Each structure stands twice: as structure tokens, then as C-alpha cells.
Amino acid sequence: MNKEFVMRGQTASDFEEVLNFSGYKPGYAYRMVEFSLWPSLVGVAQEQEMTGTVTAAKTAEDPENPNFNNEGLIAVAFGAIRNDLLQSGEVYSVVNDTFLITQNLILKVKDTKSGSPAPVNWQCRFVAEKMTGPEEAVANYKQFTISDD
């Protein structure tokens, strides 16, 4: 089994995507180790601010106002591309790389710059983790209770 893989795409601003783990292999869980955003508008006069969240819950976490008390919140990212050369760009992300993923996730992104919202490019990197039977039961139960709220 490949230990590391990437999911990536482009999502319209203020929309959600399901990160599908239907190919889940018994005895394995996945840890997210990276969540990155990249603008879809790159040009001299273009500016874009982007936020994104990844959750293990039934509903997406608001990317503009993430609640870190939500135990299903796995990752948050912010990125900005400025047309001012003195302030060329910022990128921040926080990933809970201890959360063992066994079910689908919800990704939501938003272009927070005023004007016409643009789509946001995103990338998530995951690592496969072998689990014992009891570890698998605990991980499945934890994610089930989070997504069942």
C-alpha cells in the first residue's frame, strides 16, 4: 500500500467538496499532513485572499470563522496574493496531524476578497497508518460520533 498520497482540485468560492475515502482499506487510517491553498487568479493586477477548512463532521466549518473547539476540524488554511510588491503574499495553515481519518471529509474554501469571488485551488497530503484492531475501532467510533452530531 502506498504510504503517501495527494488529493487536489479547484473549488468555487463558498462551496464544499467531499474528500472521498470510500476506498478505505480495513486496518488502515489516514493522517493529513498538509493542507495548502493556491490562487486561481495570478496576475500583476490580481489580488486574492483565500481561506479553507477540512472537517470530519456532517457540515463544513466556516472558513472565515473557524472554531478550533470543533473536534472534527482537521485543517485550516489562509493564503493571500497581493499586487503590492512589498506585500507579495502570505500563507498559513494549521493541520491536526494526529487525527486518524477513516471516513469522508468535507472541504470548504472561500475567496474573501471583495468583488467577484474566484475559485480556489487546494491540495491535501495524506499518509497511511497501519492500525491494530482496537485502534481501528476507536478511530472509527471517534469519527462516527463527530459526524453524527
Side-chain angles (χ1 to χ4, degrees):
M1 174 176 217
N2 192 359
K3 289 282 281 176
E4 186 173 282
F5 67 97
V6 169
M7 288 184 184
R8 59 198 237 167
Q10 184 180 82
T11 303
S13 180
D14 212 18
F15 279 80
E16 300 173 10
E17 297 257 353
V18 173
L19 303 183
N20 193 328
F21 284 83
S22 65
Y24 168 70
K25 184 175 179 182
Y28 281 87
Y30 305 92
R31 286 185 309 108
M32 181 185 289
V33 293
E34 175 193 326
F35 179 41
S36 305
L37 302 177
W38 189 257
S40 60
L41 303 173
V42 180
V44 176
Q46 299 294 333
E47 287 194 8
Q48 190 173 5
E49 287 184 4
M50 311 148 287
T51 60
T53 57
V54 177
T55 59
K58 277 186 180 177
T59 58
E61 185 74 25
D62 179 4
E64 285 187 278
N65 301 295
N67 179 354
F68 278 61
N69 289 323
N70 176 354
E71 64 183 32
L73 180 64
I74 297 174
V76 177
F78 170 83
I81 301 297
R82 313 261 189 240
N83 60 14
D84 177 353
L85 293 177
L86 297 175
Q87 208 178 18
S88 61
E90 307 164 61
V91 178
Y92 304 99
S93 69
V94 176
V95 177
N96 177 357
D97 61 0
T98 64
F99 192 99
L100 295 175
I101 301 159
T102 59
Q103 298 175 24
N104 293 346
L105 304 176
I106 300 173
L107 172 137
K108 186 170 185 178
V109 293
K110 192 166 192 179
D111 176 357
T112 58
K113 192 75 178 162
S114 61
S116 179
V120 176
N121 294 305
W122 54 269
Q123 176 173 299
C124 300
R125 183 178 307 277
F126 298 91
V127 175
E129 296 285 333
K130 181 91 172 113
M131 296 186 296
T132 65
E135 288 173 325
E136 184 176 11
V138 168
N140 283 331
Y141 181 74
K142 179 180 179 182
Q143 193 161 349
F144 173 76
T145 57
I146 289 170
S147 67
D148 196 42
D149 287 339

